[in-house]
């Protein structure tokens, strides 16, 4: 088998991966609670893949109800080395129409009701998310999306809103002024937690609609988004297959693999042993 273990978190509209061979659903728990669903584990050629439907099969969970920490911990438990998120997004730019794919490289976090760190009282860590995605993985994913027939833009800023309501027009105009290109409800704190767990992370956004900044158009409704999600889903599934097939035989190490070496600040003599125990899946390498 390959040195790569590819984790895939599927967003709205992506609840199953037909390309996985010898696939089976695996149930597990984490110190942070249950993940969104069981994990579908199989392989594509010689690459082990671990798939998690972010909202659960049937889309049972809203964005603020997702247990992001459990989802990332579960990926670590399954030995994932690199994590790709495939997410539905709204467009804040005229040149990003519905159907466009975007390899996001920056985020603005406007969420407020979610646990955003594995660390805290008793063991403090500060990771850098100046460059929140893995450029290597993002480049591979963008090229895989092109092979799947998608029109892909490399680079773009994703603004994460709390939801579950869509934006007001005033908010949508404000986010455009900030320079955001796409908007969604789930990339944060997912990307931050992946970094704390030393997982190289990339996000491919699938544009489903223009956000409500277009004054001459009616605001987006869920039925239109669902229709576009179905149009995007086949390309998303093909993207994963092409990505797995395109990974180099040897996985070169990434600086993200050891980011906690420079992030832990609490003296070992005063670390909370209960929190240390909870962190073994995501940070055990650095904690010893």
């Amino acid at each position: 088998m390959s040195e790569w273990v590819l984790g895939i978190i599927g967003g709205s509209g992506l609840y199953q991966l037909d390309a996985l061979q010898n696939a089976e659903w695996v149930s597990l728990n984490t110190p942070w609670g249950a993940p969104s669903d069981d994990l579908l584990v199989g392989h594509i050629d010689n690459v082990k893949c671990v798939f998690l439907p972010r909202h659960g099969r049937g889309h049972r969970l809203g964005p603020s109800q997702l247990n992001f920490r459990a989802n990332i911990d579960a990926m670590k438990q399954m030995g994932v080395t690199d994590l790709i998120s495939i997410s539905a997004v709204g467009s804040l730019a005229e040149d990003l129409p519905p159907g466009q794919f975007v390899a996001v490289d920056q985020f603005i976090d406007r969420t407020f009701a979610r646990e955003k760190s594995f660390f805290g009282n008793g063991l403090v860590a500060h990771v850098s998310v100046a460059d929140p995605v893995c450029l290597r993985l993002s480049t591979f994913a963008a090229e895989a999306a092109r092979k799947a027939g998608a029109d892909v833009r490399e680079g773009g800023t994703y603004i994460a809103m709390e939801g579950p309501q869509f934006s007001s027009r005033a908010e949508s105009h404000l986010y455009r002024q900030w320079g955001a290109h796409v908007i969604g409800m789930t990339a944060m704190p997912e990307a931050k937690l992946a970094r704390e767990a030393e997982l190289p992370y990339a996000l491919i956004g699938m544009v489903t609609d223009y956000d409500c900044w277009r004054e001459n158009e009616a605001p987006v409704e869920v039925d239109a988004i669902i229709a576009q999600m179905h149009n995007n889903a086949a390309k998303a599934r093909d993207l994963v297959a092409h990505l797995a097939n395109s990974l180099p035989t040897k996985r070169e190490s990434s600086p993200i693999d050891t980011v906690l070496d420079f992030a832990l600040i609490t003296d070992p003599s005063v670390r909370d042993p209960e929190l240390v125990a909870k962190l073994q899946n995501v940070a055990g390498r650095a904690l010893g």
Side-chain angles (χ1 to χ4, degrees), residues 74-285:
M75 288 289 175
K76 289 288 286 190
Q77 285 192 53
M78 296 304 301
V80 166
T81 62
D82 299 81
L83 182 61
I84 177 77
S85 167
I86 303 176
S87 301
V89 295
S91 173
L92 294 166
E94 192 69 52
D95 61 350
L96 293 175
Q100 179 91 33
F101 281 32
V102 184
V104 170
D105 63 355
Q106 282 293 333
F107 298 97
I108 299 172
D109 187 0
R110 293 287 292 169
T111 65
F112 54 81
R114 309 173 187 187
E115 294 287 351
K116 299 190 179 187
S117 178
F118 289 108
F119 300 91
N121 187 23
L123 181 47
V124 177
H126 301 285
V127 299
S128 172
V129 287
D131 299 301
V133 307
C134 171
L135 180 59
R136 174 177 68 178
L137 184 62
S138 186
T139 300
F140 285 145
E143 183 56 32
R146 291 191 184 94
K147 291 178 180 177
D151 186 6
V152 185
R153 170 174 173 162
E154 293 191 58
T157 297
Y158 175 126
I159 187 157
M161 63 183 296
E162 185 65 41
Q165 300 85 3
F166 296 129
S167 307
S168 70
R169 292 194 192 275
E171 289 169 330
S172 194
H173 285 299
L174 177 64
Y175 300 151
R176 279 168 49 81
Q177 291 174 18
W178 287 353
H181 301 96
V182 294
I183 184 167
M185 300 179 187
T186 55
M188 285 291 168
E190 186 176 271
K192 290 177 177 176
L193 293 167
R195 181 59 55 89
E196 287 190 344
E198 299 184 324
L199 278 176
Y201 176 90
L203 186 145
I204 297 293
M206 305 180 297
V207 177
T208 58
D209 62 281
Y210 283 111
D211 205 49
C212 63
W213 54 273
R214 285 177 139 201
E215 296 288 351
N216 61 336
E217 293 187 3
V220 66
E221 299 291 352
V222 169
D223 57 348
I225 291 177
I226 291 174
Q228 185 61 55
M229 284 193 309
H230 288 315
N231 291 336
N232 291 341
K235 290 178 182 177
R237 289 190 289 268
D238 288 345
L239 180 165
V240 173
H242 286 298
L243 175 58
N245 287 325
S246 68
L247 295 173
T249 303
K250 179 177 176 57
R251 181 188 182 274
E252 299 291 344
S253 61
S254 163
I256 299 169
D257 297 343
T258 54
V259 70
L260 290 179
D261 288 349
F262 312 102
L264 301 175
I265 194 169
T266 303
D267 189 278
S269 65
V270 295
R271 290 174 181 172
D272 177 5
E274 291 187 7
L275 182 53
V276 170
K278 289 181 71 174
L279 286 163
Q280 285 307 304
N281 294 326
V282 298
R285 183 206 64 80

